[in-house]
Amino acid sequence: MTKADAQPEDVSERTVGILLAGGLSRRYGSPKAFARYEGRLFHERAYEALSAACRLVTVSSAASLAERFPGAYDVQVDLPEVSGRGPLAGICTVMRRIPAERYLVLPCDMPRVGPRTIRRLAELAQTRPEADVAAVRAGDAFVPLLSVWRAGLADVLEQEISADRLSVMKLLAKLNTVWLDASRIDEDLRVFDNFNTPDAN
């Protein structure tokens, strides 16, 4: 096969999706992963979206919630050394357990994000190979957990967690982070809203 005949590179084969669904969601009143938007559970919508661009989708969840997800899901509970330390712990755990070249992260509380949006995010992130993280910015609003992380960052995440530095934004400020314009990913910026209370939808 000549170079001209080669098929386009399949980014999905080297990308693992991380569905962040470990929060107990006290402000929401119940775990948001099991809330509904337009008739479907938040985690179902997020899983479907990530599956559009990832060879494997894994759910990062708390031990108390893990058995509530469908048996077909790969569910990862935090490693003991980072357990319960927020989203960085979930990302770190998946990086330690599942080798990949990149990790596409989506929190479960963004139920308007669909497959098209995720595919476009993956495409844009691929154009910035120099970035440690490619995350989304919608105007003045940062969406740090809708993001693509390169491999090899697990040690950095674990160091931050061990030092009790759990802010995702502060970590991204230390890394080579590229902020992608949300309007290049989806023209409807409502897609990037987090649902923090039951009346948000």
Side-chain angles (χ1 to χ4, degrees):
M1 179 182 290
T2 67
K3 188 173 182 180
D5 293 330
Q7 295 299 309
E9 188 177 30
D10 186 356
V11 178
S12 67
E13 287 301 310
R14 305 190 318 280
T15 305
V16 165
I18 303 178
L19 198 174
L20 295 176
L24 298 180
S25 313
R26 291 181 178 86
R27 272 197 299 168
Y28 199 86
S30 61
K32 284 188 277 188
F34 305 97
R36 290 184 180 273
Y37 177 71
E38 294 185 347
R40 299 181 65 203
L41 297 172
F42 281 20
H43 74 74
E44 292 174 339
R45 301 178 70 91
Y47 192 93
E48 178 183 71
L50 286 169
S51 295
C54 303
R55 67 175 176 86
L56 168 70
V57 176
T58 188
V59 179
S60 169
S61 184
S64 60
L65 301 177
E67 292 186 359
R68 294 182 61 180
F69 292 97
Y73 284 15
D74 178 76
V75 180
Q76 298 290 334
V77 174
D78 289 348
L79 291 163
E81 56 268 33
V82 297
S83 182
R85 308 309 303 279
L88 293 184
I91 297 169
C92 179
T93 293
V94 175
M95 287 182 170
R96 289 283 191 220
R97 289 181 174 154
I98 306 176
E101 289 192 17
R102 60 183 60 80
Y103 299 85
L104 204 165
V105 178
L106 173 63
C108 69
D109 63 354
M110 299 179 68
R112 292 190 181 118
V113 172
R116 185 173 66 89
T117 303
I118 289 295
R119 282 194 297 265
R120 181 61 176 156
L121 170 59
E123 290 168 0
L124 288 178
Q126 189 184 16
T127 69
R128 303 300 301 269
E130 79 282 6
D132 292 325
V133 182
V136 176
R137 179 174 181 173
D140 295 330
F142 294 90
V143 192
L145 288 178
L146 179 56
S147 48
V148 180
W149 299 59
R150 70 165 177 81
L153 294 173
D155 286 347
V156 176
L157 270 69
E158 193 166 325
Q159 290 167 8
E160 293 295 297
I161 295 165
S162 297
D164 205 32
R165 295 189 292 263
L166 305 181
S167 167
V168 178
M169 285 296 293
K170 288 182 179 179
L171 173 58
L172 295 188
K174 297 178 183 179
L175 297 174
N176 180 15
T177 300
V178 170
W179 291 99
L180 302 173
D181 183 349
S183 66
R184 297 183 62 201
I185 300 170
D186 199 303
E187 63 277 5
D188 183 359
L189 296 187
R190 296 178 305 160
V191 163
F192 304 100
D193 290 344
N194 293 95
F195 285 30
N196 293 318
T197 58
D199 58 359
N201 54 1

